[in-house]
């Protein structure tokens, strides 16, 4: 199967040379430029960013749920208890710590998408004006990790105040051309399911990060009921 949809092309490089800048003034301004604000949005305190989640769909309340968790599994914000505006749009804003790693997860329990009309359903996740995840006509699950610490040393990112047992970061990257038949789960040494997800939508890249006890033993299982090569995945576990 064609997996081109999972690998976005790189931007074309600029062929034209950079133009020479203007000659500096002999009498430059003495006054310095204004210092940058602590947060681009002007809403959150220093060290925090503004997380915005916007979702629309007639069946959103009954069929679709979502949440944002930090790497320790604590829910930062969730769809439970949220109310739509008069025009059916859910818009939530929350300040979150920037020096962390998060996973946005959205799940369609009925697995038929928000609504039949693609133009009337969407979700967008934005952190300080940067789009983290978005989609239309959600089919199945989608997970997206984001944050400054997601790709850092997992053992350091998973250090938690008051935690006596060392933790390491489990990361998953899954790209699927046809994700409707793909599911996965992660079990610990006691055969308990730590996390699972799927099936997924088509042409999506799903990423996830979470901290787990370093000294435990884990088994990752992924299944593709289609019997075809419909995706690529990478599993990482930081451990020194």
């Amino acid at each position: 199967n064609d997996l081109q949809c999972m690998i976005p092309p790189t931007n074309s490089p600029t062929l034209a040379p950079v133009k020479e800048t203007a000659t500096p003034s002999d009498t430059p301004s003495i006054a310095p430029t204004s210092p940058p604000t602590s947060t681009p949005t002007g809403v959150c305190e220093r060290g925090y960013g503004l997380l915005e989640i916007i979702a629309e769909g007639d069946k959103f309340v009954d069929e679709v749920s979502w949440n944002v968790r930090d790497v320790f599994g604590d829910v930062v914000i969730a769809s439970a208890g949220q109310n739509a505006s008069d025009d059916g749009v859910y818009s939530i804003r929350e300040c979150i710590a920037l020096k962390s790693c998060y996973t946005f997860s959205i799940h369609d329990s009925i697995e038929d998408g928000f609504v039949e009309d693609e133009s009337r359903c969407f979700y967008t996740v934005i952190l300080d004006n940067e789009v983290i995840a978005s989609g239309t006509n959600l089919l199945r699950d989608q997970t997206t990790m984001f944050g400054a610490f997601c790709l850092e040393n997992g053992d350091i990112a998973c250090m938690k105040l008051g935690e006596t047992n060392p933790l390491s970061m489990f990361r998953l990257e899954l790209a699927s051309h046809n994700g409707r038949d793909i599911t996965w789960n992660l079990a610990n040494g006691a055969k308990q399911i730590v996390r699972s997800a799927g099936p997924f939508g088509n042409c999506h890249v799903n990423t996830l990060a979470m901290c787990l006890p370093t000294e435990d033993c884990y088994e990752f299982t992924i299944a593709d009921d289609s019997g075809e090569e419909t995706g690529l995945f990478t599993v990482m576990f930081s451990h020194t």
Side-chain angles (χ1 to χ4, degrees):
N1 287 333
D2 186 4
L3 299 181
Q4 289 184 353
C5 63
M6 302 184 304
I7 308 174
T10 58
N11 296 325
S12 301
T14 302
L15 299 179
V18 178
K19 294 182 179 180
E20 183 180 355
T21 58
T23 304
S25 171
D26 294 332
T27 57
S29 173
I30 298 176
T33 57
S34 300
T37 57
S38 57
T39 55
T41 60
V43 176
C44 304
E45 63 184 65
R46 189 177 184 85
Y48 285 74
L50 182 63
L51 178 68
E52 301 176 84
I53 299 176
I54 304 168
E56 177 182 359
D58 293 343
K59 301 178 181 179
F60 182 77
V61 174
D62 297 330
E63 298 182 6
V64 178
S65 60
W66 56 261
N67 64 60
V68 174
R69 295 177 181 267
D70 63 19
V71 285
F72 304 108
D74 297 325
V75 176
V76 176
I77 188 172
S79 57
Q82 306 294 340
N83 297 316
S85 61
D86 293 338
D87 55 359
V89 177
Y90 297 77
S91 181
I92 301 160
R93 290 150 56 100
E94 184 82 12
C95 292
I96 62 172
L98 293 175
K99 291 185 177 181
S100 187
C101 176
Y102 305 91
T103 296
F104 169 78
S105 303
I106 189 165
H107 172 70
D108 180 4
S109 61
I110 307 299
E111 299 178 351
D112 62 351
F114 280 132
V115 290
E116 294 181 0
D117 183 2
E118 247 185 50
S119 64
R120 294 196 62 251
C121 63
F122 67 88
Y123 68 91
T124 306
V125 182
I126 304 169
L127 179 61
D128 280 346
N129 298 320
E130 178 184 351
V131 175
I132 301 300
S134 64
T136 59
N137 254 24
L138 173 71
L139 297 171
R140 313 300 204 263
D141 291 353
Q142 183 172 353
T143 59
T144 304
M145 68 180 183
F146 64 95
F149 280 11
C150 289
L151 300 180
E152 298 295 326
N153 185 310
D155 291 338
I156 296 176
C158 287
M159 295 179 65
K160 187 177 183 180
L161 185 66
E163 179 64 49
T164 57
N165 296 319
L167 301 173
S168 293
M169 185 179 289
F170 167 84
R171 299 183 183 93
L172 170 67
E173 297 177 3
L174 169 63
S176 56
H177 172 68
N178 180 7
R180 298 189 181 204
D181 298 311
I182 297 177
T183 59
W184 65 264
N185 67 69
L186 181 70
N188 60 18
K191 304 300 181 182
Q192 298 172 326
I193 300 298
V194 177
R195 188 73 181 262
S196 63
F200 303 94
N202 296 337
C203 251
H204 279 300
V205 176
N206 291 272
T207 55
L208 178 145
M210 60 181 176
C211 295
L212 299 171
T214 303
E215 301 303 328
D216 204 342
C217 177
Y218 302 94
E219 181 178 10
F220 176 78
T221 304
I222 188 167
D224 184 352
D225 293 338
S226 71
E228 302 176 356
E229 294 182 2
T230 59
L232 307 169
F233 71 92
T234 301
V235 174
M236 295 167 282
F237 188 67
S238 62
H239 188 1
T240 56

